[in-house]
Amino acid sequence: MVALAELDWITYQQAVSAEDAIIFLPIGALEQHGPHMSMNPDVLIPQAIAEGASELLKNAMVAPPIAYGYKSQQQSGGGNHLPGTTSLDGITLTQTVRDIIKEFARHGARKIVMMNGHFENSMFLVEGIDLAIRELGWAGIDDINVMILSYWDFVDDKTIERLYPDGFTGWAIEHGGVLETSLMLYLYPHLVDMDKVVDHPPAKFPPYDMFPVDPELTPASGTLSSAKNASREKGEILMSVCVDGIARSVSEKFQSNLPASAPSIGAA
Ligand SMILES: [Zn+2]
């Protein structure tokens, strides 16, 4: 795995000009994830997955993540009113993404993979990509390609059935639940304390949002579903499904060298 920031600039310049060079850019958030977990899983998980996927590709580098994200929404992150959750305005995130893509393009990068770890970021990332591509076009650079993905979209139905034998309530309600807690148990066990998990039924919301939010609608723990059934083993399965699926998609779009059967991935 090549950490972009750890290269000297001459080596970086060579790497970024190599044929089929790919830059992964993880984007997360600083957001509460319940009493049992640190506030940075949305950063650490996509970064680890980007590192794992880059191992399976040639000429792939992982850029330092954007560690702050768009405002936590009540139905997907508990809400932006909770302490610890530290968010950017949409325009700030959009322009940060636009600026970073334009800088990588200036260095010669033409293939960028944005790895999202925080649901609320999605459309602001799309807007940043769109503005960057538009402005690069004005500057005569019209051969840049950006892939954007959220890692949980690579968890297939079969894996969901296996990991959620009692039924799956959807990714939004997973905030601080089995998905993120299992991945953190696998990748960074010292940042999780399973003794502090609050076991509560999945949060229930009306089919609309109100602003300001009614804090009563968010479970007191800040999680939207229980992490009680999280485990390191589930985290390992999730990690390998995401890393393999993402490496395969990136390879299909940007390269064509992925081995038929990708080796399984160790902990970051
Ligand atoms: Zn999260």
Side-chain angles (χ1 to χ4, degrees), residues 80-126:
N80 213 58
H81 56 291
L82 291 157
T85 297
T86 310
S87 306
L88 303 175
D89 286 350
I91 193 170
T92 313
L93 180 59
T94 295
Q95 293 185 342
T96 302
V97 166
R98 181 201 62 177
D99 291 354
I100 294 172
I101 291 173
K102 284 167 63 186
E103 284 292 84
F104 287 153
R106 177 173 68 81
H107 308 152
R110 292 294 180 268
K111 292 167 180 168
I112 297 171
V113 180
M114 314 267 294
M115 176 87 71
N116 184 30
H118 175 67
F119 175 77
E120 288 86 338
N121 288 341
S122 303
M123 277 305 142
F124 299 99
L125 305 184
V126 169

Side-chain angles (χ1 to χ4, degrees), residues 113-228:
V113 180
M114 314 267 294
M115 176 87 71
N116 184 30
H118 175 67
F119 175 77
E120 288 86 338
N121 288 341
S122 303
M123 277 305 142
F124 299 99
L125 305 184
V126 169
E127 179 68 350
I129 295 167
D130 187 66
L131 296 182
I133 288 178
R134 188 174 70 183
E135 291 174 30
L136 287 164
W138 292 337
I141 296 174
D142 57 7
D143 56 348
I144 183 145
N145 286 281
V146 182
M147 177 185 285
I148 178 171
L149 61 93
S150 296
Y151 69 84
W152 51 85
D153 287 331
F154 285 80
V155 183
D156 57 293
D157 291 347
K158 244 171 103 183
T159 307
I160 289 174
E161 266 175 48
R162 191 169 161 202
L163 266 45
Y164 299 88
D166 305 331
F168 178 63
T169 46
W171 292 131
I173 223 88
E174 270 294 310
H175 179 74
V178 169
L179 171 83
E180 291 175 314
T181 306
S182 296
L183 280 161
M184 288 294 281
L185 280 171
Y186 175 60
L187 294 165
Y188 303 97
H190 65 288
L191 298 178
V192 184
D193 182 350
M194 288 303 284
D195 292 339
K196 290 187 182 168
V197 166
V198 179
D199 189 22
H200 62 77
K204 278 207 160 60
F205 295 105
Y208 57 84
D209 288 294
M210 288 294 296
F211 294 91
V213 295
D214 172 5
E216 298 290 307
L217 286 178
T218 302
S221 61
T223 51
L224 298 184
S225 58
S226 172
K228 191 187 68 163

Side-chain angles (χ1 to χ4, degrees), residues 31 33 42 117 175 180:
E31 183 186 36
H33 275 74
D42 292 2
H175 179 74
E180 291 175 314

